[in-house]
C-alpha cells in the first residue's frame, strides 16, 4: 500500500469516520467509463473529480460533480468569480494534493495542509446517500455517507465547501 493511501486510512480511523472499502486493482478507476463499471460493484455513484486552477495558477479548486454531467467551464467561472479556469497541471496536483492524475478525490484534501484548494460541490450530489471517493490512489474506492464525507471529514481537514450549480448544458 502506498504511503498516501495509508495516510487516508489512518486519518479516517483517527477521526472515527466509517467507510466501506472496495478494491479494484484489476481495474483502476482512472476515468468515468471505468468508474461506471466499478459503481455496479459498490452500489453507489462515483462522482467526477476535477482539479482546476485560475489562469495565473494561484487559486486551485477541487470540483466534485455527478459523473454523467458534462463540465462547462463558463458555468462554473461566473459562480466562483474567476475569469478563466483550466485544469491544473499534474505537478500541481502532486505537490498540493499528493495525488496523481486519475486519483483526485475528496480524500486528497487530507494533504492540503495549507488550505490552497477550495472545494466545489455540485448541488446535485447533496441528495445522495453516499459519496464515493478514491483514497489518493485509483485502485480502491471508499464509500462514505454524505454526512460523514461533507460534514465530519471536511471539518477534520479544515475545509469548507462551496455549493455550485452546474447544468451541463450550453
Amino acid at each position: 500500500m502506498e504511503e498516501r493511501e495509508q495516510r487516508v486510512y489512518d486519518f479516517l480511523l483517527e477521526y472515527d469516520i466509517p467507510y466501506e472499502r472496495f478494491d479494484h486493482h484489476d481495474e483502476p478507476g482512472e476515468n468515468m467509463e471505468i468508474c461506471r463499471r466499478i459503481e455496479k460493484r459498490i452500489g453507489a455513484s462515483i462522482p467526477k473529480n476535477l482539479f482546476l486552477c485560475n489562469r495565473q495558477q494561484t487559486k486551485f479548486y477541487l470540483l466534485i460533480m455527478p459523473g454523467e454531467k458534462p463540465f462547462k467551464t463558463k458555468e462554473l467561472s461566473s459562480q466562483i468569480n474567476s475569469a478563466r479556469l483550466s485544469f491544473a497541471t499534474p505537478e500541481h496536483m502532486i505537490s498540493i494534493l499528493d495525488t496523481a492524475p486519475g486519483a483526485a478525490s475528496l480524500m486528497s484534501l487530507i494533504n492540503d495542509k495549507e488550505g490552497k484548494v477550495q472545494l466545489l460541490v455540485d448541488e446535485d450530489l447533496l441528495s445522495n446517500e453516499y459519496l464515493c471517493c478514491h483514497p489518493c490512489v485509483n485502485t480502491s474506492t471508499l464509500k462514505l455517507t454524505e454526512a460523514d464525507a461533507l460534514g465530519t471529514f471536511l471539518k477534520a481537514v479544515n475545509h469548507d465547501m462551496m455549493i455550485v450549480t452546474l447544468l451541463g448544458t450550453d
Side-chain angles (χ1 to χ4, degrees), residues 3-146:
E3 181 184 328
R4 64 182 76 168
E5 182 180 9
Q6 186 61 53
R7 208 176 308 133
V8 170
Y9 298 121
D10 293 345
F11 186 92
L12 295 173
L13 181 64
E14 178 182 347
Y15 287 93
D16 197 28
I17 300 172
Y19 63 90
E20 286 182 71
R21 175 179 163 180
F22 298 87
D23 292 322
H24 42 85
H25 298 280
D26 58 322
E27 194 168 39
E30 55 198 22
N31 62 50
M32 291 314 299
E33 181 182 326
I34 295 170
C35 287
R36 296 286 82 86
R37 291 194 297 265
I38 296 167
E39 286 175 344
K40 291 178 180 148
R41 291 191 258 171
I42 294 174
S45 297
I46 299 172
K48 189 182 296 184
N49 299 276
L50 304 176
F51 189 49
L52 308 166
C53 66
N54 63 357
R55 180 189 313 210
Q56 300 80 10
Q57 297 184 8
T58 56
K59 293 187 179 186
F60 297 90
Y61 307 92
L62 179 62
L63 171 63
I64 301 175
M65 60 186 287
E68 68 282 351
K69 190 182 274 191
F71 172 60
K72 309 281 185 187
T73 18
K74 186 177 179 182
E75 274 186 328
L76 183 60
S77 296
S78 60
Q79 292 180 59
I80 62 171
N81 297 318
S82 179
R84 183 172 169 252
L85 290 173
S86 61
F87 291 98
T89 65
E91 292 79 18
H92 279 120
M93 185 181 290
I94 291 166
S95 70
I96 297 170
L97 297 177
D98 191 24
T99 305
S105 80
L106 185 69
M107 293 295 124
S108 302
L109 295 177
I110 288 171
N111 301 311
D112 180 29
K113 305 282 188 212
E114 296 175 23
K116 292 181 177 181
V117 179
Q118 170 66 58
L119 176 64
L120 308 172
V121 179
D122 183 272
E123 69 178 354
D124 287 348
L125 290 180
L126 300 178
S127 60
N128 291 352
E129 182 178 358
Y130 297 102
L131 189 80
C132 294
C133 47
H134 295 311
C136 297
V137 295
N138 62 12
T139 53
S140 296
T141 300
L142 304 180
K143 180 178 171 182
L144 293 84
T145 66
E146 183 192 297

